[in-house]
C-alpha cells in the first residue's frame, strides 16, 4: 500500500495566531507534525501552506512543502491544489493529517489509509473511537458519527447521536453505539480533486461539517474504529501549553 500524507497549514488562526510556527521545545509545530507523520508507512509527507514563513520553516528542517493559494475556503481545497502540484490522480491515496496534531499516532495514519485501500466503493475513509463520556457526548464541539452495518458513515453531527430513548439518565450515550469522530481523512486523489467542485450541502452548512457534503452527494466514507483516542490537538494557547508539557524532555 502506497500513500501520500499532506499536511495543510494555514498561518492565520483566530484562536492561536501563527499556529503552525508555534514553538514546541525548539521546533515549529508543523515540523513536529510532519516528523510524526513520516513515522507512518507514507511514501512521502508534504506540507501544503499559504505562507512563505511556513515554507521557510519546513525547508530549514528538511520537510517538503508546497506553497498554495491563500484564498482557499477550506483545507480540502488546499489539499486538492496540492494533489495537482504533486501530480496525484485517480486512485492514488492521500491522507490529510491536520497541522495542529503533533501527537498524531503513526499507526492511526496507516490504519486510515488501509481502511480506504480495502474499500473500493468508498471515496474517503476516516477514524472514530468509542465515546462514553456524558459531557463529551453532549458537547457540540465534539463531533459524533453513526455507521451502517458495513462500517460506513451514515451521518456526522454535533448533536448527541444516536439518541438513547430508554437511557437511565437523560443524555447518556448508549454503550457500544456512540463514536467520536477523529479529524483524520484518507481520500482517493481523483475524488479529492473533484471535491471542491461539488455544491455545498444544506446539512454541511447547518452543522458546519464539511464531510457531510460527501454523504449528501451520495458518496461513501469508510470508518476505522480505533481502540485508542488520539493525542490532544492544538487549538488554543491552553492546548499549546498542555502539548508542550506532554512533549517536555523528561
Amino acid at each position: 500500500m502506497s500513500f501520500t500524507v499532506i499536511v495543510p497549514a494555514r498561518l492565520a488562526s483566530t484562536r492561536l495566531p501563527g499556529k503552525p510556527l508555534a514553538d514546541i521545545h525548539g521546533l515549529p509545530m508543523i515540523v513536529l507534525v510532519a516528523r510524526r507523520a513520516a513515522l507512518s508507512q507514507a511514501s512521502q509527507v508534504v506540507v501544503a501552506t499559504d505562507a512563505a514563513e511556513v515554507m521557510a520553516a519546513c525547508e530549514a528542517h528538511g520537510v517538503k512543502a508546497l506553497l498554495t493559494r491563500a484564498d482557499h475556503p477550506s483545507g480540502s481545497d488546499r489539499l486538492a491544489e496540492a494533489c495537482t502540484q504533486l501530480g496525484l490522480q485517480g486512485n492514488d491515496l492521500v491522507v490529510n493529517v491536520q497541522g495542529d496534531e503533533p501527537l498524531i499516532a503513526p499507526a492511526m495514519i496507516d490504519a486510515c489509509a488501509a481502511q480506504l485501500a480495502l474499500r473500493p466503493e468508498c471515496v474517503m475513509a476516516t477514524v472514530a473511537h468509542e465515546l462514553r463520556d456524558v459531557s463529551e457526548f453532549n458537547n457540540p464541539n465534539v463531533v459524533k458519527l453513526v455507521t451502517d452495518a458495513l462500517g460506513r458513515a451514515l451521518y456526522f453531527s454535533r448533536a448527541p447521536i444516536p439518541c438513547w430513548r430508554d437511557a437511565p439518565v437523560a443524555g447518556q450515550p448508549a454503550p457500544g453505539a456512540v463514536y467520536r469522530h477523529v479529524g483524520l481523512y484518507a481520500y482517493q486523489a481523483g475524488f479529492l480533486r473533484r471535491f471542491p467542485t461539488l455544491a455545498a450541502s444544506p446539512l454541511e452548512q447547518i452543522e458546519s461539517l464539511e464531510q457531510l457534503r460527501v454523504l449528501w452527494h451520495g458518496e461513501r466514507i469508510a470508518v476505522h474504529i480505533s481502540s485508542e483516542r488520539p493525542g490532544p490537538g492544538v487549538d488554543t494557547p491552553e492546548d499549546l501549553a498542555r502539548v508542550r508539557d506532554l512533549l517536555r524532555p523528561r
Side-chain angles (χ1 to χ4, degrees):
M1 178 184 64
S2 176
F3 64 93
T4 295
V5 166
I6 301 179
V7 186
R10 179 171 169 267
L11 192 59
S13 171
T14 304
R15 290 184 287 179
L16 188 59
K19 183 163 64 169
L21 300 178
D23 180 86
I24 300 178
H25 305 301
L27 288 174
M29 179 164 61
I30 192 65
V31 171
L32 281 177
V33 174
R35 288 183 176 179
R36 288 286 289 182
L39 297 175
S40 72
Q41 297 175 18
S43 57
Q44 60 178 336
V45 176
V46 183
V47 171
T49 183
D50 62 352
E53 300 97 315
V54 176
M55 283 283 295
C58 289
E59 291 170 355
H61 294 281
V63 173
K64 183 175 181 179
L66 300 172
L67 190 62
T68 58
R69 287 171 23 209
D71 60 347
H72 286 305
S74 72
S76 298
D77 293 271
R78 196 173 313 285
L79 261 68
E81 182 187 348
C83 281
T84 299
Q85 289 196 39
L86 292 168
L88 301 176
Q89 52 191 325
N91 294 326
D92 291 339
L93 297 186
V94 176
V95 177
N96 173 11
V97 174
Q98 300 298 326
D100 55 7
E101 297 282 350
L103 295 172
I104 186 73
M108 190 174 286
I109 297 172
D110 294 335
C112 189
Q115 185 72 10
L116 184 56
L118 291 170
R119 307 298 293 268
E121 82 279 15
C122 298
V123 296
M124 285 177 59
T126 192
V127 177
H129 64 82
E130 190 173 346
L131 178 60
R132 300 179 182 178
D133 183 272
V134 174
S135 63
E136 289 188 337
F137 183 54
N138 291 282
N139 183 348
N141 293 318
V142 174
V143 178
K144 281 69 67 174
L145 67 86
V146 289
T147 62
D148 66 14
L150 298 178
R152 302 173 303 194
L154 284 172
Y155 194 67
F156 299 80
S157 183
R158 298 182 182 279
I161 60 169
C163 177
W164 187 8
R165 188 193 66 175
D166 299 322
V169 179
Q172 182 177 344
V178 180
Y179 298 105
R180 177 177 184 163
H181 180 229
V182 177
L184 179 66
Y185 297 101
Y187 303 84
Q188 292 177 2
F191 173 74
L192 182 56
R193 294 176 67 174
R194 181 164 62 90
F195 178 83
T197 70
L198 298 177
S201 79
L203 296 173
E204 167 192 2
Q205 294 171 329
I206 292 168
E207 296 259 19
S208 191
L209 295 174
E210 195 178 61
Q211 62 269 36
L212 291 175
R213 187 187 312 182
V214 181
L215 300 181
W216 194 75
H217 283 279
E219 301 287 2
R220 295 290 193 178
I221 301 175
V223 181
H224 168 70
I225 304 299
S226 173
S227 60
E228 299 181 3
R229 293 176 64 107
V234 177
D235 288 317
T236 66
E238 293 76 18
D239 293 336
L240 180 59
R242 179 168 55 157
V243 167
R244 281 172 175 160
D245 184 60
L246 289 170
L247 292 176
R248 191 181 308 280
R250 305 298 180 184

